[in-house]
Amino acid sequence: LARLVDLGVAAAGDGRVEVAVHHLAASERAAELAARLEERLPRSSGCVVSELGGVIGAHTGPGVLGVVVVPT
């Protein structure tokens, strides 16, 4: 989780961003990751957490986490 947070912070830079955490069957870890990102990215408009669909899940498997950072 620490590495994903560091990568998200690096991708955000100094500007305002929108952030999302995606997961598959890992809602508790996703919520923890989102909380860490919100703590480290005060200029974000919050963090959306959502579960991945079957197509991506078939290739990654349960437990996968992903972070999306989009400049606004």
Side-chain angles (χ1 to χ4, degrees):
L1 292 183
R3 178 75 172 136
L4 284 173
V5 171
D6 289 343
L7 289 170
V9 170
D14 294 328
R16 294 193 54 80
V17 293
E18 293 184 12
V19 181
V21 171
H22 299 289
H23 71 93
L24 181 61
S27 58
E28 290 179 12
R29 290 179 57 221
E32 180 182 348
L33 177 56
R36 288 186 188 189
L37 285 165
E38 287 177 344
E39 191 175 285
R40 297 267 310 270
L41 295 170
R43 290 176 305 281
S44 77
S45 56
C47 185
V48 174
V49 177
S50 68
E51 191 159 21
L52 293 169
V55 173
I56 294 175
H59 296 283
T60 60
V64 68
L65 293 173
V67 176
V68 178
V69 178
V70 179
T72 56

